[in-house]
Structure formats: structure tokens, C-alpha cells
Amino acid sequence: MNDAVLSPPPHGVAGGPKVLLEVFGCQMNKLDAELVVGALKRSGYDFTDRDEEADAVLLVTCSIRDQAEHRVHSHLGEISVAKRARPDLAVGVLGCMASREGESLLKRWPALDFVVGTRDFPSVATVLDEVRADGTRIVAVDGSPQVSEEREIDVRPAKSRAYVTVMRGCDKRCTYCVVPNTRGLEVSRPMEDIYNEVHRLVDDGVVEVTLLGQTVNAWGRGAGNSLGDLLERLEELDGLRRVRFITSHPEEMDDRLIDSMANCHKAGLFLHLPPQSGSDAMLRRMARGYTADRYREIARELKARIPGVQMGADVIIGFPGETDADFESTVELVEEVRFSQAFLFRYSPRPGTPAWGRLADDVPDDVKRARLARLQKIQAAIQEERHQTLIGTRHEVLVEGQSRRNPRMLFGRNLAFDRIVFEGEPSWTDRFVDVEITDSTALTLSGKRVEVVPAACP
Ligand code: 5AD
Ligand code: SF4
């Protein structure tokens, strides 16, 4: 949910026009970028990560906070300068900013050739073809809600892992959030579609899938299904070892899902369940549909029924009207639930949201910053304490790769989604390794290999 990354591997049709794809924002965007790569590859495009050899630059963008859009605008500033020297360079903005701003982006940036919204990715290759052929400027932002999930299964972040969209859009109206504007109403994919896609991924070496949806635990409700049914269906798939899912909504939590998480051995021992605040007044004003006590009840239930389960949080700090007492209620909730990880955000008013123009952004920035720093410190202490208790325990780690800072070190994750660092061979990447935790800080768990489990994928 943060860094601009050069996403999918730069491979495609050798000799075709070269596309530089840059991805900002959340996991959903990274997966959308994979769909874009697939569509462009099918149309004969190649990929590069070097500015100077690109024929087209495409930015997959995020609108969630002001800062995210800011970074894209400053990047467009740089690209505009480059385009003066290379007028043939095709420049496109894809995703949430395109959906939110549409044509006005083209007005603001003369160097921009096209915008393609979150539901229009299937048309990206046609749009790019047209732009390159005759220089027309194109706005494609009104696609159908039934987004095709046609994907190239080999375009994914790792041999052993893949993300799978199970639903798009969001039916909630949290007052701070642009997502319903940028991604539209909720549409779930049918169970068999998802099963077949996961099956193909598993046949290609994937052992861990992460199911993606804005309110993923509301998956399937139109068809009378629950996410629990999907977990149970995927449990049957030989070769698949882990199923994760993000992001869940507290209002959509039910016993059925908790039962399935408890019964399915492949289900990750981690639930990303953003409380957003611990103050009932704030939760009401955010239109979240639950109280802090209801949230506590869900957390208690989960921990009682699923041994070892961890929870992850998103918290918004300085939402309109947040008093010291409201903030203290959030501190209390965080201290009580003891999340294994938490993303903490300062409130950023977003145009077009229900709060925009209705709820004044009245918590001064220095107060937001001070509250944020305090909660960060509290959360760090909670993580540090928890990490200490893990010293001496053993974990089955799916290795994701070499640590950037020290190539002799590998990192990977256990079933509870803890990131664990340990010394090993690069060839262990994409395999399961048993690791014993030997050391920890607030941010990291480090350990040593105990025994290599026979590889689940070649
Ligand atoms: N300001 C700050 N944080 C926000 N989020 C969503 N909208 C805003 C906003 N306007 C946070 C929420 C959400 C996460 C993805 O981003 O915590 O869960
Ligand atoms: Fe945004 Fe709320 Fe929907 Fe999450 S549930 S995407 S915060 S509107």
C-alpha cells in the first residue's frame, strides 16, 4: 500500500514496442498491473525498466490519500520534461486516479495521451495502439462492472506465490474513502472461476495464493456464498499449501468464516481486519457499521477459536472531530487487541468522499503527527514484546527471496504472515524451510534454518 515499484518482470514480445510500467499503491493495483501486462503481451508489446528505451510509460495509480496522488503528479512533471525531447513517447495514467479524475487529468497534463480507469483495463492495448498510431488523446473510464480477469498465469510476483482477485469494488460508504468512487460497486467472481484460476496457478508451481477484495469477507454474498465456502473449496486443491485473504471488514465478520478458518489447515493464521478507530463517535462518523465493543468481541472470538491467529490493523488518526478522548479510545483498543502489524495513517480529506465538504478536517496537523508518533511507539512496543515471546519457536517459512541489505540472508513468511529473516542459499527461494527464531526486534524476527522440508515446487 505504498511504494512505487517497477512491477512485473520486464518480459514480453521481444522486438515489440517497449512499455515501462510503474505501479503505485496497494496490492490490488499490483495485480491490476499484472492484468495490464498480460493484455499488452497478447497484443505484441514488450517491457523495459529503462526510461530511455521506453516507447510508452504507463502509471498504475492510487487515490487513497492525497500524498499518493501527489507522487503521481510530480512523476508526471518529470515525464513531461522527458517528452519534450521525445514527442513520440506515449504516456498513460491507469487505475484509480484515471477513474477519479478522467478528462481533467488530460487537461492538466498536456504530455498525457490517455487515461484508462479501473474497470477499463481490458481495453488498454487497443487504446495504446490508437494513441501510437495517430496521436489521439483518449479517455476510457466507463468500463463495465464485469471486469474480465483473464490473466497470464506466469505474470506474478514469484514462482511460488500469486494474488487472485475474488471481488472488485465496494458497497460500503466509509465517509473518508474514495474506493467506491474509483472502483465502483461490489462484484464477486463466481466460485468456479476462482477455483479454476487457482488450479492453473497451482499446476504452474504456486503454493500460496492471496485472495484480494476491498471487503473480501463479503465475497459471494449475492450468490448466497460465504468466503468460508471458498476457503473450504480451495482446501481440497492438492499442491496448494496456503490461502491468505485481504482485506476483511468487521461488519462482515461471521461465525461461518471463523469456523472455516479454524477448520481449513491451509487458511493463513492472519486476519487483516482494520478497526480504523477505537472511538464509537468516530466509527459512527466514519459510517463503519460497528462499535469498538463489537470489534473487541470479534477479536476475542477469533483468538479463542483459532489458536495462534494474528490480526492486522489499519487506523486513521485525526479524523474530523477526533478529540484527545477519542484518540485515547483508539490507543486502548490497540493495546487490548495486540495486532501483529498495524498501518497507521493521518486522515487526508479526499474529494468526492461523503466526508468531503461536510466534515471539516479540523484536527491540526501537528496534533495528528503527535498522535501518530505516540501510537507508532505503542504499536512498536507491542510487536517487540510479541516477537520476544517467539524466540525459540519453530516456523515453516515460505522463502520469498534474498534480503536487499544482506544477500546472505533470506526472508520469508510463516503461516501467520510474520516476516522472518535467516541465513541461507538463494536457491531455497520459493521453498518451505523450517526456521527457529533466535533473535528479534520490534520490526524483525531472525532465526536459523532447522531442516529443509521437501520442496513443494520444483
Ligand atoms: N485518509 C487517511 N487514510 C485513509 N485510508 C483510506 N482513506 C483514507 C483517508 N482519506 C486508509 C484506511 C484504509 C487504508 C487502505 O487506507 O485505513 O483501511
Ligand atoms: Fe473504503 Fe470502507 Fe470500502 Fe474499505 S470498506 S474500500 S474503507 S469504503
Side-chain angles (χ1 to χ4, degrees):
M1 99 180 27
N2 26 42
D3 299 316
V5 286
L6 254 181
S7 118
H11 58 207
V13 181
K18 287 189 166 36
V19 174
L20 174 69
L21 188 68
E22 293 187 59
V23 189
F24 297 80
C26 66
Q27 214 53 63
M28 193 75 94
N29 270 11
K30 290 177 191 159
L31 188 58
D32 281 347
E34 292 175 19
L35 299 179
V36 168
V37 170
L40 291 174
K41 270 172 67 180
R42 281 194 294 276
S43 295
Y45 285 91
D46 193 5
F47 291 88
T48 179
D49 52 7
R50 293 171 49 197
D51 296 339
E52 62 280 8
E53 59 174 39
D55 300 298
V57 180
L58 271 52
L59 311 179
V60 179
T61 59
C62 169
S63 289
I64 198 91
R65 280 170 293 277
D66 189 43
Q67 212 185 4
E69 293 201 346
H70 212 75
R71 292 173 61 198
V72 170
H73 281 298
S74 66
H75 201 50
L76 283 168
E78 289 160 19
I79 294 171
S80 301
V81 175
K83 189 160 170 165
R84 265 181 236 141
R86 301 188 39 211
D88 285 349
L89 184 69
V91 182
V93 165
L94 278 54
C96 290
M97 280 175 74
S99 291
R100 201 178 76 70
E101 296 188 52
E103 190 154 9
S104 64
L105 268 176
L106 288 189
K107 291 206 178 103
R108 173 158 174 193
W109 293 104
L112 188 60
D113 298 293
F114 64 96
V115 295
V116 171
T118 53
R119 296 191 165 193
D120 305 79
F121 290 135
S123 68
V124 67
T126 326
V127 170
L128 183 54
D129 287 346
E130 274 182 51
V131 166
R132 285 174 36 85
D134 52 23
T136 36
R137 302 180 85 202
I138 297 178
V139 178
V141 289
D142 46 14
S144 91
Q146 292 294 345
V147 170
S148 141
E149 299 293 347
E150 242 180 85
R151 72 181 287 171
E152 304 286 320
I153 52 163
D154 59 333
V155 182
R156 56 173 196 260
K159 177 147 187 57
S160 61
R161 294 174 291 118
Y163 293 90
V164 174
T165 310
V166 300
M167 64 192 294
R168 287 189 169 264
C170 180
D171 278 359
K172 308 275 180 202
R173 289 299 278 158
C174 302
T175 54
Y176 51 80
C177 186
V178 286
V179 167
N181 308 356
T182 60
R183 291 192 173 268
L185 290 178
E186 178 186 304
V187 185
S188 291
R189 287 175 71 194
M191 169 112 81
E192 286 314 295
D193 258 27
I194 299 167
Y195 182 84
N196 291 336
E197 181 174 323
V198 176
H199 201 318
R200 288 198 301 142
L201 288 162
V202 169
D203 286 346
D204 197 50
V206 165
V207 292
E208 177 188 285
V209 290
T210 304
L211 311 176
L212 294 182
Q214 306 292 347
T215 52
V216 70
N217 56 338
W219 174 84
R221 66 170 147 203
N225 281 321
S226 124
L227 185 64
D229 301 324
L230 183 56
L231 292 182
E232 284 174 18
R233 181 87 174 94
L234 294 175
E235 184 81 5
E236 296 162 11
L237 240 175
D238 286 341
L240 180 64
R241 300 274 298 271
R242 288 179 178 176
V243 182
R244 299 174 45 216
F245 51 93
I246 47 177
T247 294
S248 294
H249 193 297
E251 201 184 7
E252 302 294 334
M253 274 316 285
D254 58 18
D255 285 349
R256 172 84 185 88
L257 178 58
I258 300 181
D259 282 345
S260 310
M261 285 179 74
N263 296 335
C264 295
H265 300 300
K266 297 178 183 175
L269 286 175
F270 180 79
L271 189 73
H272 185 222
L273 192 73
Q276 309 297 2
S277 172
S279 149
D280 287 344
M282 291 301 107
L283 289 170
R284 243 191 332 270
R285 203 168 294 164
M286 291 173 172
R288 289 289 289 175
Y290 53 88
T291 60
D293 278 347
R294 168 65 188 140
Y295 189 93
R296 289 185 168 89
E297 195 180 291
I298 298 169
R300 269 197 304 271
E301 189 81 353
L302 266 170
K303 291 185 178 179
R305 286 169 55 193
I306 311 172
V309 76
Q310 297 302 319
M311 294 175 67
D314 291 350
V315 173
I316 297 178
I317 287 157
F319 189 70
E322 186 187 73
T323 61
D324 283 340
D326 291 317
F327 176 66
E328 289 311 319
S329 304
T330 301
V331 169
E332 274 168 32
L333 185 80
V334 167
E335 283 179 331
E336 205 176 310
V337 177
R338 302 184 67 79
F339 297 98
S340 66
Q341 53 170 261
F343 297 102
L344 312 176
F345 306 106
R346 278 176 292 138
Y347 174 63
S348 149
R350 308 301 297 127
T353 57
W356 181 254
R358 211 165 52 80
L359 298 175
D361 180 21
D362 57 0
V363 178
D365 205 46
D366 57 337
V367 174
K368 283 185 192 166
R369 283 175 195 276
R371 288 178 186 166
L372 175 68
R374 173 141 172 254
L375 200 54
Q376 275 169 337
K377 217 166 142 191
I378 290 167
Q379 178 60 24
I382 291 170
Q383 286 177 204
E384 192 168 357
E385 254 182 71
R386 170 170 176 261
H387 286 175
Q388 282 274 332
T389 66
L390 293 177
I391 291 179
T393 57
R394 274 195 189 193
H395 300 258
E396 190 181 50
V397 173
L398 178 56
V399 182
E400 298 191 3
Q402 285 168 278
S403 154
R404 246 187 253 164
R405 261 190 258 149
N406 179 353
R408 281 181 37 235
M409 303 300 277
L410 302 176
F411 71 95
R413 291 184 190 269
N414 62 8
L415 192 58
F417 202 49
D418 294 306
R419 190 174 188 275
I420 298 172
V421 182
F422 63 102
E423 197 172 321
E425 306 289 327
S427 63
W428 299 351
T429 300
D430 291 318
R431 295 168 65 174
F432 286 100
V433 174
D434 268 0
V435 176
E436 183 180 317
I437 306 295
T438 51
D439 206 356
S440 77
T441 66
L443 289 180
T444 55
L445 285 167
S446 19
K448 61 173 199 293
R449 186 192 90 140
V450 184
E451 156 206 5
V452 178
V453 175
C457 52

